[in-house]
Amino acid sequence: MKPNSLEIAEWISDQLLYHAVQSIDARLGNGYHTKNPRLVCEIARITYEEYLRQENFEEKLNKEKNESLSYNFVKSSTKKKSKNPQFKFSNFGIPVGAELQSTLNPHIKCTVADGGNSVFYNGNKTSMSAIVNSLKGGSNRGPKYWTYRGKLLSDMMDQ
């Protein structure tokens, strides 16, 4: 059965509203759209009545889902810790001015700039990750590709 033009128009309106809500919540915090529905209407260019129609539909859908699920899931309020903490030279006794060698190419070297994670490479202050990303492309963890006195920095982190 082919949808009629009214159903298509409602679907498009629903999609606009959904994306407006997602955008608002991403920028201003989860649930913000419920505190300021007029902003959603303005961004999605819909009437307030259209917004209420959509919200009522979502409430019914959520109620049906909750009734059909036998589990209660509680959202954790604690923030997950990063799997890999940020590498800092000072934590591993690597002094400022120490020379690091790349595992990608032994001719590529950089010098520790501070106790944090900054290095000097080709006269510029940067990070190990930025250098590796420029060489390999993508997003890479710097300590995986640098050695200090023959020891891989990522191995130092694991100890």
Side-chain angles (χ1 to χ4, degrees), residues 99-110:
E99 189 175 84
L100 305 177
Q101 186 174 11
S102 172
T103 59
L104 299 173
N105 182 339
H107 299 293
I108 298 174
K109 297 180 181 184
C110 65

Side-chain angles (χ1 to χ4, degrees), residues 20-146:
V21 166
Q22 295 300 315
S23 175
I24 289 168
D25 284 353
R27 290 186 181 115
L28 303 174
N30 196 18
Y32 187 83
H33 73 278
T34 57
K35 298 174 196 163
N36 196 344
R38 301 283 180 187
L39 180 62
V40 175
C41 295
E42 188 176 319
I43 290 174
R45 293 190 174 117
I46 59 172
T47 64
Y48 185 64
E49 290 74 25
E50 187 69 23
Y51 172 82
L52 291 176
R53 182 189 65 78
Q54 178 67 23
E55 284 297 304
N56 289 336
F57 174 75
E58 286 181 6
E59 285 175 18
K60 288 178 189 173
L61 191 62
N62 287 337
K63 189 182 280 186
E64 288 174 9
K65 281 183 184 177
N66 290 339
E67 289 172 359
S68 66
L69 291 176
S70 60
Y71 301 102
N72 284 333
F73 295 101
V74 179
K75 187 175 180 181
S76 174
S77 62
T78 59
K79 189 177 180 182
K80 287 184 180 180
K81 289 186 177 180
S82 175
K83 186 176 176 183
N84 296 318
Q86 184 179 20
F87 183 87
K88 293 189 181 202
F89 296 113
S90 59
N91 293 347
F92 300 98
I94 301 174
V96 173
E99 189 175 84
L100 305 177
Q101 186 174 11
S102 172
T103 59
L104 299 173
N105 182 339
H107 299 293
I108 298 174
K109 297 180 181 184
C110 65
T111 307
V112 176
D114 58 33
N117 67 343
S118 297
V119 293
F120 287 114
Y121 177 70
N122 289 341
N124 298 320
K125 189 173 181 179
T126 185
S127 69
M128 296 179 292
S129 298
I131 299 167
V132 173
N133 292 343
S134 68
L135 297 171
K136 279 187 76 173
S139 178
N140 301 287
R141 287 195 49 87
K144 279 178 65 175
Y145 301 96
W146 295 95

